[in-house]
Amino acid sequence: MLIIGIAGGTGSGKTTVVRKMIESLPVGEVVLLPQDSYYKDSSHVPVEERQNINFDHPDAFEWSLLSKHVMMLKEGKSIEQPTYSYLTCTRQPETIHIEPREVVIIEGILALCDKKLRNMMDLKIFVDADPDERLIRVIQRDVIERGRTAEAVMERYTRVLKPMHLQFIEPCKRYADLIVPEGGSNAVAIDILTMYIKKHLKNEE
């Protein structure tokens, strides 16, 4: 089994990199664990206080459950991946049944942050992008997908996203085996990653 961690700032193009890699690989060989699924449940927090939760801080995640699930997959056991609602900031009753596969990708802003999880990874990738480009992507995404105003997104960017990026996400770069500049538009880097995984899959046959 090949365990890959893919980290990078909000709006850096991580999801695009992952999607393009998965599209280039044999069907059924890859399982994706989005770090966002492992946000701690906040149903005990009063509704009006939930918007104050800092989702870009390492403390927002249930690292122990994510590590446990990776270990179970490594041991050949299936897992029930949690699902999380951004709208209510709560973990949902539904889970996603996941069977072990030859390649496991853990993707999220802080995927390389936790030492225990990092030590399980065979390949660590950091997707890098210019801060201005990331801000533009975040505005576009949050306005379209999450119904926020551009002003609200920019206010949150300067108050939360930028300081958290500098404090926790950017330092994870030093743990990466590979840094992918230009995110999802870096076709060469995505090709190299895909070739690396295909070679691993061939060796396992």
Side-chain angles (χ1 to χ4, degrees), residues 6 12-22 125 127 180 182-186 190 193:
I6 301 186
S12 61
K14 294 182 300 302
T15 313
T16 310
V17 170
V18 171
R19 192 190 76 241
K20 288 183 176 178
M21 281 167 63
I22 291 173
I125 299 160
V127 179
V180 178
E182 307 302 322
S185 54
N186 192 330
I190 293 165
L193 287 170

Side-chain angles (χ1 to χ4, degrees), residues 8 28 74 77-78 86 89 106 125 137 149 154 159 166-167:
K74 214 171 180 176
K77 299 170 185 165
S78 62
Y86 273 113
C89 302
I106 304 151
I125 299 160
R137 285 199 200 118
T149 64
M154 286 188 279
R159 182 174 50 84
L166 296 173
Q167 190 177 349

Side-chain angles (χ1 to χ4, degrees), residues 9-10 126 134 160-171:
T10 304
F126 190 94
R134 286 194 298 104
V160 180
L161 295 187
K162 192 178 179 186
M164 290 299 104
H165 182 87
L166 296 173
Q167 190 177 349
F168 297 110
I169 301 169
E170 190 75 20

Side-chain angles (χ1 to χ4, degrees), residues 144-161:
I144 294 165
E145 292 178 18
R146 298 182 188 167
R148 296 176 179 149
T149 64
E151 289 77 19
V153 178
M154 286 188 279
E155 188 275 329
R156 184 170 160 265
Y157 183 86
T158 40
R159 182 174 50 84
V160 180
L161 295 187

Side-chain angles (χ1 to χ4, degrees), residues 89-168:
C89 302
T90 55
R91 197 170 279 176
Q92 301 299 285
E94 303 81 26
T95 57
I96 300 168
H97 181 78
I98 290 181
E99 292 286 336
R101 292 284 181 263
E102 203 46 60
V103 180
V104 175
I105 298 177
I106 304 151
E107 181 255 329
I109 52 170
L110 291 161
L112 303 182
C113 178
D114 184 74
K115 190 179 179 187
K116 185 180 179 186
L117 188 63
R118 214 168 45 233
N119 288 342
M120 293 184 198
M121 296 172 182
D122 303 295
L123 180 62
K124 297 177 285 293
I125 299 160
F126 190 94
V127 179
D128 209 4
D130 180 80
D132 294 343
E133 286 177 21
R134 286 194 298 104
L135 174 58
I136 292 164
R137 285 199 200 118
V138 171
I139 292 171
Q140 287 172 333
R141 186 194 66 194
D142 283 9
V143 169
I144 294 165
E145 292 178 18
R146 298 182 188 167
R148 296 176 179 149
T149 64
E151 289 77 19
V153 178
M154 286 188 279
E155 188 275 329
R156 184 170 160 265
Y157 183 86
T158 40
R159 182 174 50 84
V160 180
L161 295 187
K162 192 178 179 186
M164 290 299 104
H165 182 87
L166 296 173
Q167 190 177 349
F168 297 110

Side-chain angles (χ1 to χ4, degrees), residues 56-67:
D56 292 62
H57 194 286
D59 290 349
F61 297 95
E62 193 176 342
W63 295 103
S64 54
L65 182 63
L66 180 50
S67 294

